[in-house]
């Protein structure tokens, strides 16, 4: 086993480590992600140089982030720590909430240290986001957990021995039998996105260097990838601060209610947040971090009945 490599990064600003990386965690049982009681975060991921386990920990007394990496992808992962923690989000300091949106002003005051992460791992973000199309978060997270446990592999270093797993590589997704997809509750529509993307994984990774509009266009050229999925991928892999989750059952309604006190659809919300163009995902995330949700008095959306899912009974929120 290769010895671990380490690095230290001084961000020059407070970094809310667990909050910063929370969107990369696919549910509390995500086998690729772990949070320690001391605040450290572990991630198992794949890189162009091979698999890696990355551990990040704050050292407040020295105002730095300490990174330790195991595996062939260690050098690549350590080089990407600043981007992962928001260094590539160069427009964050230009963002100014409008005074007529007090909920956003307060969210920015409390969570202004958050920055848009940039993992540079496009296929990984796409394969996970594809599972979240249409269905509830709980169902999607359960599918991700089951498929990673079945077709992932132990992460490099000590985390692997502790149960942390790498997500399946593109070739591994192609080997998943149809009955395993069904046991995970994933119907043809959603699995098809990953199966069609896997042979193009190398080309997808190159989209991290494209302008936001070009990256969006490239992602949406894949069958089954629409506005919502493209945004969810770019929020994580590309670090695009404007990648708002249009097409989600809840996001536009929650954001519009927080900003103007009305529950609006995508079109109405788009009009409201147009003034924040360039930062529309930032607005979405800050309000989510502040816990803003519209009042919900009706029945919760039912789980789809066209897919088998024996493990999930409870649910919350549908991804569109």
């Amino acid at each position: 086993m290769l010895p671990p490599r380490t690095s230290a990064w001084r961000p020059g600003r407070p970094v809310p480590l667990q909050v910063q990386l929370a969107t990369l965690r696919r549910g509390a049982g995500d086998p690729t992600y772990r949070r320690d009681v001391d605040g450290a975060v572990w991630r198992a991921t794949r890189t162009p140089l091979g698999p890696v386990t990355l551990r990040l920990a704050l050292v407040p007394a020295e105002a730095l982030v300490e990174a330790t990496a195991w595996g062939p992808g260690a050098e690549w992962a350590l080089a990407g720590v600043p981007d992962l923690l928001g260094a590539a989000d160069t427009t964050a300091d230009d963002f100014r909430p409008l005074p007529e949106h007090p909920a956003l002003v307060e969210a920015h005051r409390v969570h202004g240290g958050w920055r848009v992460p940039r993992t540079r791992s496009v296929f990984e973000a796409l394969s996970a986001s594809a599972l979240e199309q249409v269905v509830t978060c709980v169902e999607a997270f359960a599918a991700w957990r089951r498929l990673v446990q079945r077709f992932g592999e132990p992460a490099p270093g000590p985390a692997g021995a502790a149960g942390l797993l790498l997500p399946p590589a593109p070739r591994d997704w192609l080997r998943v039998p149809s009955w395993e997809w069904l046991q995970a509750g994933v119907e043809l529509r959603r699995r098809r996105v990953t199966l069609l993307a896997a042979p193009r994984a190398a080309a997808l990774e190159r989209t991290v260097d494209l302008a936001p509009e070009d990256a969006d266009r490239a992602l949406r050229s894949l069958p089954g990838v629409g506005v919502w999925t493209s945004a969810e991928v770019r929020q994580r892999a590309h670090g695009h601060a404007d990648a708002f989750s249009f097409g989600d059952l809840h996001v536009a309604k929650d954001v519009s209610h927080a900003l103007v006190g009305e529950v609006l659809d995508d079109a109405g919300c788009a009009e409201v947040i147009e003034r924040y163009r360039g930062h529309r995902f930032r607005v979405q995330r800050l309000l989510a971090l502040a816990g803003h949700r519209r009042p919900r008095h009706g029945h919760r959306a039912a789980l789809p009945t066209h897919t088998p899912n024996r493990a999930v009974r409870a649910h919350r929120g549908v991804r569109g």
Side-chain angles (χ1 to χ4, degrees):
M1 182 174 66
L2 294 173
R5 300 193 58 182
T6 62
S7 70
W9 178 57
R10 286 184 167 81
R13 57 179 173 83
V15 174
L17 186 60
Q18 294 195 6
V19 170
Q20 174 67 33
L21 300 176
T23 57
L24 308 183
R25 187 188 192 195
R26 306 288 180 163
D30 186 347
T32 72
Y33 191 104
R34 192 177 85 202
R35 299 187 302 185
D36 285 350
V37 293
D38 64 0
V41 173
W42 298 70
R43 291 189 69 235
T45 186
R46 296 183 183 275
T47 81
L49 301 180
V52 67
T53 299
L54 179 66
R55 181 185 184 272
L56 299 171
L58 296 175
V59 185
E62 300 180 40
L64 58 81
V65 178
E66 185 179 74
T68 308
W70 293 262
E75 182 178 353
W76 189 92
L78 292 176
V81 165
D83 281 5
L84 189 65
L85 299 182
D89 185 8
T90 56
T91 64
D93 292 337
D94 300 330
F95 177 70
R96 296 290 184 273
L98 298 172
E100 57 264 42
H101 297 148
L104 182 58
V105 172
E106 178 63 11
H108 184 252
R109 184 189 70 80
V110 176
H111 299 288
W114 175 83
R115 298 290 186 270
V116 183
R118 183 174 184 261
T119 68
R120 302 172 296 157
S121 298
V122 182
F123 177 79
E124 181 178 304
L126 178 60
S127 59
S129 296
L131 296 177
E132 299 177 16
Q133 293 180 343
V134 181
V135 300
T136 65
C137 293
V138 169
E139 187 180 28
F141 293 159
W144 172 254
R145 182 170 61 251
R146 178 186 175 90
L147 291 168
V148 171
Q149 288 172 339
R150 294 282 289 165
F151 300 99
E153 58 186 279
L164 204 67
L165 298 174
L166 292 161
R171 65 180 182 277
D172 298 324
W173 284 110
L174 293 172
R175 295 170 182 166
V176 177
S178 60
W179 62 85
E180 291 282 3
W181 289 103
L182 291 173
Q183 286 293 319
V186 183
E187 83 290 357
L188 181 60
R189 169 183 169 172
R190 287 184 291 146
R191 83 180 78 144
R192 184 169 177 261
V193 176
T194 297
L195 295 178
L196 291 176
R200 301 174 61 180
L204 287 171
E205 303 307 325
R206 292 194 290 271
T207 67
V208 297
D209 297 320
L210 298 179
E213 297 79 5
D214 295 332
D216 179 42
R217 189 178 304 111
L219 290 170
R220 291 171 62 185
S221 69
L222 289 169
V225 175
V227 174
W228 182 86
T229 306
S230 171
E232 293 287 314
V233 172
R234 291 183 292 116
Q235 291 164 9
R236 296 167 173 84
H238 300 73
H240 290 172
D242 200 46
F244 190 87
S245 297
F246 288 114
D248 192 278
L249 181 61
H250 299 296
V251 170
K253 297 173 184 177
D254 290 342
V255 169
S256 59
H257 184 269
L259 294 180
V260 298
E262 295 183 62
V263 176
L264 304 175
D265 60 11
D266 275 5
C269 184
E271 185 175 346
V272 169
I273 63 171
E274 177 60 30
R275 299 166 74 181
Y276 294 112
R277 180 173 286 274
H279 299 279
R280 289 177 295 180
F281 171 57
R282 192 185 316 283
V283 171
Q284 171 188 329
R285 184 61 184 155
L286 287 173
L287 291 172
L289 287 173
H292 285 285
R293 303 288 186 274
R294 72 190 188 281
R296 299 178 190 176
H297 304 297
H299 295 293
R300 292 181 175 181
L303 285 169
T305 57
H306 61 283
T307 60
N309 193 328
R310 301 172 184 173
V312 178
R313 294 295 181 265
H315 64 278
R316 61 178 183 273
V318 174
R319 297 291 184 183

